[in-house]
Amino acid sequence: MRSSFSPRRYLMCPPTHFRVTYSINPWMDPTKPVDLALALAQWEDLRDRYRALGHTVEVLEPRPDLPDMVFAANGATVVDGRVLGARFAHPERTAEAAVHREWFHSHGWDEADVREPVHINEGEGDFAVTDSWLLAGRGFRSSPLSHPEAQEFFGRPVIGLDLIDPRYYHLDTALCVLAGDEVMYYPDAFSPGSRAVLARLFPDAIVAEEADAAAFGLNAVSDGHHVLLPQAALGLCDPLRDRGYEPVGMDLSELLKGGGSVKCCTMELRSAD
Ligand code: ARG
């Protein structure tokens, strides 16, 4: 069994003001109604599940003018207790970056450890941390120039990965870090060269089928043992169990209407130790 649990600290933002009034990814259809009460209940289930598993969940105050704030993963990337802020690609989300930076400033982070980036990056939407690398998506949102910027800031080798399918517009819709250098991913979301890179770095990865990727199954959060993922991604459960992980199915159907699920709602606050 390679998996091993460790308690995590997460930042989440309730979908109090969630709505789909604009479309910046193919999942967002402003003509489709959103059940806000259900969205809130589903989000609370996720938050409560993390807490029940022994994790700390910090809560960011939502803003009425920022309906996508529930997707807290996009607001920054935190590694070794240092924060690389976000810079959003779309004007609809621009103001979220400062709200996140402000949260870090008012919650004990040193000014020097919170960086406002020069280049566009959508936080953990496009950055994924493994033991050896910082995996970095590009193609739809984060600028390729954000990759050397992150490498310089974190001092971790960045592996740039090209996303080619608009349905998988963020790296975290197509790849999930399970533990150490173990990942699961959906190859067709990546360019042929990036697919070859992934196969070389992660020869033992769980390779997802299209149906599980389309159910947002890669938009998952692992604590090293439990893997919280959309419950419709049934095909990932056995491969996860075979590797010693415990899949935990969650229903975030309402948030999928915004183009996000478990991981998008969850930023990990990684400390220095
Ligand atoms: N509506 C949001 C957007 O398009 C969804 C973001 C989902 N977040 C994520 N980490 N993939 O930006």
Side-chain angles (χ1 to χ4, degrees), residues 111-204:
E111 198 83 18
D113 287 335
V114 181
R115 169 75 56 96
E116 179 174 1
V118 174
H119 300 290
I120 290 175
N121 87 68
E122 296 202 346
E124 286 198 320
D126 278 323
F127 288 128
V129 184
T130 78
D131 273 2
S132 305
W133 302 287
L134 188 63
L135 307 179
R138 60 190 173 212
F140 295 101
R141 299 289 181 89
S142 298
S143 159
L145 296 172
S146 71
H147 296 185
E149 187 176 18
Q151 177 164 289
E152 193 58 34
F153 183 68
F154 292 121
R156 289 186 174 233
V158 165
I159 306 288
L161 298 167
D162 291 295
L163 297 163
I164 57 164
D165 180 335
R167 288 176 305 161
Y168 307 106
Y169 57 94
H170 273 147
L171 181 64
D172 74 358
T173 64
L175 181 145
C176 166
V177 179
L178 297 169
D181 282 330
E182 194 163 52
V183 303
M184 57 180 182
Y185 69 97
Y186 176 53
D188 288 2
F190 297 92
S191 70
S194 295
R195 250 175 260 165
V197 168
L198 288 168
R200 181 180 289 265
L201 294 182
F202 307 108
D204 301 326

Side-chain angles (χ1 to χ4, degrees), residues 9-11 72-73 75-76 78 100 104 124 263 265-269:
R9 188 172 172 208
Y10 298 125
L11 179 65
V78 186
H100 277 261
F104 287 101
E124 286 198 320
K263 172 60 210 171
C265 294
T266 314
M267 178 195 294
E268 183 166 349
L269 305 171

Side-chain angles (χ1 to χ4, degrees), residues 5-164:
F5 169 87
S6 63
R8 310 291 169 117
R9 188 172 172 208
Y10 298 125
L11 179 65
M12 297 179 71
C13 180
T16 317
H17 310 291
F18 176 61
R19 56 193 182 271
V20 180
T21 48
Y22 52 80
S23 179
I24 54 173
N25 70 57
W27 305 86
M28 298 175 85
D29 176 356
T31 64
K32 248 202 209 158
V34 169
D35 182 337
L36 190 54
L38 183 57
L40 256 169
Q42 292 175 337
W43 180 90
E44 283 167 359
D45 266 1
L46 179 63
R47 179 202 58 197
D48 294 349
R49 185 60 68 104
Y50 285 135
R51 288 180 172 158
L53 290 171
H55 305 299
T56 303
V57 178
E58 310 280 356
V59 176
L60 177 66
E61 186 71 33
R63 281 222 336 220
D65 54 329
L66 298 170
D68 268 336
M69 263 188 80
V70 60
F71 302 117
N74 302 142
T77 306
V78 186
V79 185
D80 301 327
R82 303 185 70 226
V83 183
L84 180 62
R87 184 177 287 277
F88 284 85
H90 295 285
E92 292 88 342
R93 300 197 66 187
T94 301
E96 292 181 43
V99 180
H100 277 261
R101 284 199 313 276
E102 186 41 47
W103 186 87
F104 287 101
H105 289 315
S106 57
H107 285 77
W109 266 262
D110 252 27
E111 198 83 18
D113 287 335
V114 181
R115 169 75 56 96
E116 179 174 1
V118 174
H119 300 290
I120 290 175
N121 87 68
E122 296 202 346
E124 286 198 320
D126 278 323
F127 288 128
V129 184
T130 78
D131 273 2
S132 305
W133 302 287
L134 188 63
L135 307 179
R138 60 190 173 212
F140 295 101
R141 299 289 181 89
S142 298
S143 159
L145 296 172
S146 71
H147 296 185
E149 187 176 18
Q151 177 164 289
E152 193 58 34
F153 183 68
F154 292 121
R156 289 186 174 233
V158 165
I159 306 288
L161 298 167
D162 291 295
L163 297 163
I164 57 164

